[in-house]
Amino acid sequence: MRLYGPTRLCGAVAASGSKNAALPIMAAALLADEPVSLENVPRLTDITTLARMLETLGMNVERRAGALRLQTIDPRPIKADWRLVSRMRASFCVLGPLLARRRRAIVPLPGGCRIGERPVDLHLRGLAALGAEIQIKGWHVVARARRLRGARIDLWGPHGPTVTGTANVLSAAVLARGMTVINGAACEPEIVDLGRFLQSLGARISGLGTRTIVVEGVAELDGGRYTIIPDRIETATLLLAAAMTRGSIAVTGAKPGHLAAVLGALRSAGAALETTSDTIRLTMCDRPAPIDIVARPYPGFPTDLQAQWTAWMCLADGRTTIRDTVFPRRFAHLAALRRFGASIVRHGSTVHVEGVGELHGAAVSACDLRASAALILAGLAAVGETRLTRTHHLRRGYEGLEAKLVALGAVISSAACEHSAQAFA
């Protein structure tokens, strides 16, 4: 991909459906006795990967415009394909639904972006508390249970609650006998969306959006239709792109309430913001003020935006400190940002950024999904040409991002960009 800057982004763009909500919801469709239709599902390689895995697990998956229709046609498969699981961590979310619905599950240990250690011990401890027998055999989790039973479970880990662990345990608990109390649960909007989806199928869940979720098990779940929430990480990435280029954009179809910490930080840095129930408008005219952030579990500043914020602070009028408590080693993007001329020093889980007057185009390579977005933001603001390789990471989590940026005024050249532009036309 080639980017030519600096450019100023202006206009309006629509937020896509949430990847991090759609994936666990797709996995939870394994629990349903009847067909499930999901609306507002983004077109991403991660979505395609999970769809293929669900097909190997006996489901029929049909893509219709922005919707997916999922239906179990063969309830016998219990082993997830290791080649598909190794591509992304979220695929591990099939473990809980498989165990609850089919009594057995064999799921490889997960893969995905290299952003530090992300153990699954809390997932397994939670499922074991529900009555599952868990073994690790040859890099596979082998789980079985005649019938899960309700229990009290604590999912708080060394870096806070586990999001995918909460998804796994919540999905399993809805079919467990009796009541389950999940303490230390993740509060992320994506977990709330999963819970509301399960409720729409007949699950009995209370406490969504708090640290304590209570589930009263039911014997079965029906099918139904559900609409995925908008992607808060994509929304904020677009806002940061506008801020970094001193532009003015409106993101429509968004959920401002899901981004309170981010919007507060943007305002503190000097961005002018206007919000309605489903639109966020940002205007930025000057260099940002140096605003320190600490990435924390929701409702804190998201770790999935730490790289993009770091890129913006490279242009701040002063020195910024950035710390990530969720993934303390999630800083592989720093070396690439230095190639743009950024002044960055790292000490463990903390980064110090000394703002510079301008960045300069560079040849850089993306190392993970969110780093890809950060390097694109830097390229939009940098003087001259930026060449970005390994952009396949980008397709995992941003639907047509290049085309959206071009529509806002960015100058980007890539085969994927031309294809996306046609798709969004």
Side-chain angles (χ1 to χ4, degrees):
M1 178 191 301
R2 294 174 185 265
L3 303 95
Y4 303 90
T7 54
R8 183 172 181 267
L9 301 187
C10 297
V13 63
S16 297
S18 170
K19 173 189 86 105
N20 289 340
L23 292 171
I25 287 175
M26 288 171 62
L30 285 161
L31 296 163
D33 285 346
E34 301 295 332
V36 169
S37 293
L38 302 177
E39 306 283 347
N40 201 33
V41 179
R43 290 184 176 273
L44 303 168
T45 55
D46 275 10
I47 297 293
T48 300
T49 297
L50 185 55
R52 289 174 179 168
M53 180 190 299
L54 293 175
E55 288 174 338
T56 69
L57 292 172
M59 296 197 78
N60 180 61
V61 182
E62 298 178 11
R63 164 73 79 167
R64 299 175 180 176
L68 286 181
R69 185 179 186 276
L70 304 97
Q71 180 179 14
T72 297
I73 56 177
D74 183 357
R76 294 171 297 177
I78 59 168
K79 186 174 182 179
D81 189 323
W82 70 267
R83 292 169 298 181
L84 298 174
V85 175
S86 65
R87 296 180 187 176
M88 63 172 185
R89 181 177 177 81
S91 57
F92 197 66
C93 285
V94 301
L95 177 61
L98 275 179
L99 180 62
R101 189 69 182 86
R102 303 184 186 180
R103 309 294 187 246
R104 294 183 62 205
I106 303 174
V107 181
L109 293 170
C113 289
R114 298 177 181 270
I115 58 174
E117 294 181 4
R118 299 193 285 179
V120 297
D121 57 318
L122 291 173
H123 302 233
L124 305 186
R125 192 186 311 164
L127 294 174
L130 291 174
E133 298 176 13
I134 307 285
Q135 294 178 299
I136 305 295
K137 294 184 177 180
W139 296 100
H140 285 72
V141 175
V142 180
R144 66 183 66 198
R146 288 189 177 181
R147 176 74 190 270
L148 298 176
R149 60 180 182 274
R152 297 189 70 89
I153 299 167
D154 191 342
L155 293 180
W156 193 272
H159 301 298
T162 164
V163 177
T164 52
T166 301
N168 251 329
V169 173
L170 175 60
S171 296
V174 297
L175 292 184
R177 181 184 292 115
M179 182 173 293
T180 297
V181 178
I182 305 174
N183 292 311
C187 299
E188 275 71 4
E190 296 79 13
I191 291 297
V192 174
D193 211 35
L194 168 63
R196 289 175 177 166
F197 164 71
L198 293 169
Q199 288 173 330
S200 74
L201 303 184
R204 298 174 181 173
I205 305 169
S206 61
L208 292 170
T210 75
R211 292 291 180 219
T212 301
I213 298 176
V214 179
V215 182
E216 184 180 345
V218 297
E220 61 184 17
L221 295 180
D222 299 323
R225 183 180 299 274
Y226 191 79
T227 300
I228 305 294
I229 58 172
D231 195 309
R232 63 191 174 105
I233 304 302
E234 182 212 40
T235 298
T237 299
L238 290 166
L239 294 173
L240 280 166
M244 194 155 185
T245 62
R246 302 187 190 184
S248 178
I249 72 165
V251 182
T252 62
K255 289 276 189 183
H258 292 170
L259 288 166
V262 178
L263 299 184
L266 284 166
R267 286 191 176 97
S268 296
L273 291 169
E274 298 177 14
T275 63
T276 66
S277 61
D278 64 353
T279 300
I280 306 172
R281 180 178 295 277
L282 177 145
T283 300
M284 188 76 192
C285 299
D286 301 306
R287 292 176 66 183
I291 300 301
D292 299 343
I293 62 108
V294 179
R296 304 181 188 276
Y298 190 85
F301 193 96
T303 180
D304 279 352
L305 289 171
Q306 177 259 112
Q308 299 93 306
W309 187 270
T310 301
W312 190 33
M313 289 296 105
C314 291
L315 293 173
D317 188 13
R319 185 172 183 173
T320 308
T321 299
I322 296 164
R323 189 159 66 95
D324 198 324
T325 67
V326 181
F327 296 123
R329 292 189 287 176
R330 193 179 196 174
F331 292 107
H333 50 281
L334 300 185
L337 288 174
R338 291 189 188 103
R339 294 178 66 89
F340 287 94
S343 177
I344 304 173
V345 177
R346 178 188 170 193
H347 298 286
S349 62
T350 301
V351 169
H352 301 289
V353 182
E354 190 71 44
V356 297
E358 62 182 19
L359 300 176
H360 298 275
V364 291
S365 179
C367 54
D368 62 58
L369 170 56
R370 304 308 173 184
S372 301
L375 299 182
I376 286 179
L377 266 57
L380 293 174
V383 176
E385 179 186 31
T386 293
R387 287 174 289 167
L388 176 62
T389 58
R390 301 188 71 201
T391 56
H392 64 279
H393 291 293
L394 196 70
R395 327 284 178 228
R396 292 186 52 223
Y398 292 96
E399 182 181 33
L401 180 63
E402 301 102 312
K404 290 184 178 184
L405 292 172
V406 167
L408 294 171
V411 181
I412 302 176
S413 174
S414 75
C417 180
E418 294 172 5
H419 176 74
S420 296
Q422 294 173 2
F424 278 83

